[in-house]
Amino acid sequence: MPRTHATLPRLYVASDLVAGAPVDLGKDQSLYLAAVLRKVVGDEVVLFNGRDGAWRARMTSDSKRSVSLDLLEQIAPQPAPSDLWYGFAPLKSERLDYVIQKAVEMGVGTIQPVLTQFTQVSRLKHERLVANAVEAAEQCEVLNVPTVAPEISLSALLDTWPSDRRLILADEGAASASPVERLAGLASEKIGLLIGPEGGFSDTEREKLLALPYVVPISLGPRILRADTAAVAGLAVIQAIIGDWR
Ligand code: SAM
């Protein structure tokens, strides 16, 4: 991917980005630009909102309470949103932040925390997960910020799973050591990836999952991976074999 304006700070904003329309930042982003980065009137940044592509913008006010900017030009069009669904049993603190960041970098469209029998964390701060996803998008030049869905139990997830979407189950007990063949046959399908908790799925959960017609178990190699490693490995093989790395 050709990079442009890589040295400019990138900020996600809620406002529409339209040629000629000024943008006023809220308190936190104003403080960040004016006080933390010490940007002043005339300095440029890149703005995106998940709808209107990326825009080069110039500061017209450097107030620490309210930075204003003029939009100069669109530097990247808005890409089509990703359809890749990623479900995972939430992990504790830093490792939870890590999997959210990595999911954004790997180009998922929906991030879905799933509560399983052995999940160690049951109450999540949704705003913190969303803020993490936004920060990851800002850092990695991702223009689509994934939707972060509220947590759901595994049984409720399976009860409402759409019949036209395959659910790839990262399953350390899967027969083949290679996920390549299993995935290659799914190139035209809607896809979800489900990763279990640190203690794995319970026997009952695993049996239930494996009996479902839309579930496709894959192995991620001969070693047991930690759940956050499995997430990155699983998303990487999916993107490489049937996703947007092709
Ligand atoms: N079953 C183990 C246990 O009892 O602790 C390990 C669970 S593993 C740490 C966490 C999750 O990562 C698993 O539920 C699975 O989804 C995924 N995973 C880890 N290693 C894997 C592998 N080699 N192949 C497929 N999935 C794997």
Side-chain angles (χ1 to χ4, degrees):
M1 186 186 79
R3 297 192 74 195
T4 58
H5 311 91
T7 56
L8 299 183
R10 300 177 80 86
L11 291 180
Y12 175 84
V13 292
S15 23
D16 290 337
L17 300 174
V18 183
V23 174
D24 297 320
L25 300 182
K27 210 172 103 200
D28 290 350
Q29 288 182 322
S30 298
L31 201 63
Y32 173 67
L33 276 189
V36 179
L37 298 185
R38 296 175 188 274
K39 297 293 176 188
V40 294
V41 169
D43 283 345
E44 293 186 4
V45 305
V46 172
L47 302 181
F48 68 105
N49 61 6
R51 305 183 301 276
D52 299 319
W55 287 73
R56 191 163 63 86
R58 184 176 294 141
M59 285 170 63
T60 55
S61 146
D62 54 19
S63 154
K64 291 179 181 129
R65 285 166 179 268
S66 172
V67 162
S68 302
L69 306 109
D70 276 344
L71 295 176
L72 302 177
E73 58 163 345
Q74 192 192 46
I75 56 170
Q78 183 64 34
S82 164
D83 183 60
L84 181 57
W85 181 101
Y86 162 59
F88 68 102
L91 305 163
K92 285 187 182 159
S93 50
E94 293 90 16
R95 295 180 62 223
L96 176 60
D97 295 344
Y98 176 88
V99 292
I100 300 285
Q101 287 164 18
K102 299 310 140 192
V104 175
E105 290 172 42
M106 299 303 293
V108 312
T110 304
I111 295 174
Q112 173 68 71
V114 180
L115 305 179
T116 67
Q117 208 173 323
F118 299 151
T119 302
Q120 293 172 319
V121 181
S122 57
R123 304 201 74 181
L124 296 175
K125 292 192 177 128
H126 185 253
E127 320 78 63
R128 175 176 165 166
L129 270 50
V130 172
N132 242 310
V134 167
E135 194 181 321
E138 288 175 339
Q139 284 175 4
C140 299
E141 303 188 21
V142 170
L143 295 182
N144 286 310
V145 181
T147 302
V148 183
E151 61 268 30
I152 188 173
S153 69
L154 179 62
S155 56
L157 176 79
L158 299 180
D159 286 347
T160 54
W161 188 259
S163 56
D164 64 344
R165 185 177 289 272
R166 306 304 288 271
L167 181 58
I168 296 169
L169 173 68
D171 178 19
E172 61 274 25
S176 161
S178 165
V180 177
E181 267 176 41
R182 301 292 318 248
L183 290 174
L186 304 177
S188 55
E189 308 253 12
K190 292 183 182 176
I191 293 296
L193 170 69
L194 182 61
I195 305 285
E198 274 310 304
F201 293 102
S202 71
D203 289 346
T204 320
E205 289 172 333
R206 184 166 178 267
E207 274 164 30
K208 185 174 176 186
L209 281 161
L210 293 177
L212 292 166
Y214 53 79
V215 167
V216 181
I218 61 164
S219 161
L220 294 170
R223 288 164 294 276
I224 299 292
L225 307 174
R226 295 193 74 176
D228 44 0
T229 316
V232 179
L235 290 170
V237 288
I238 289 171
Q239 290 292 36
I241 296 166
I242 53 173
D244 66 8
W245 288 12
R246 288 175 296 165

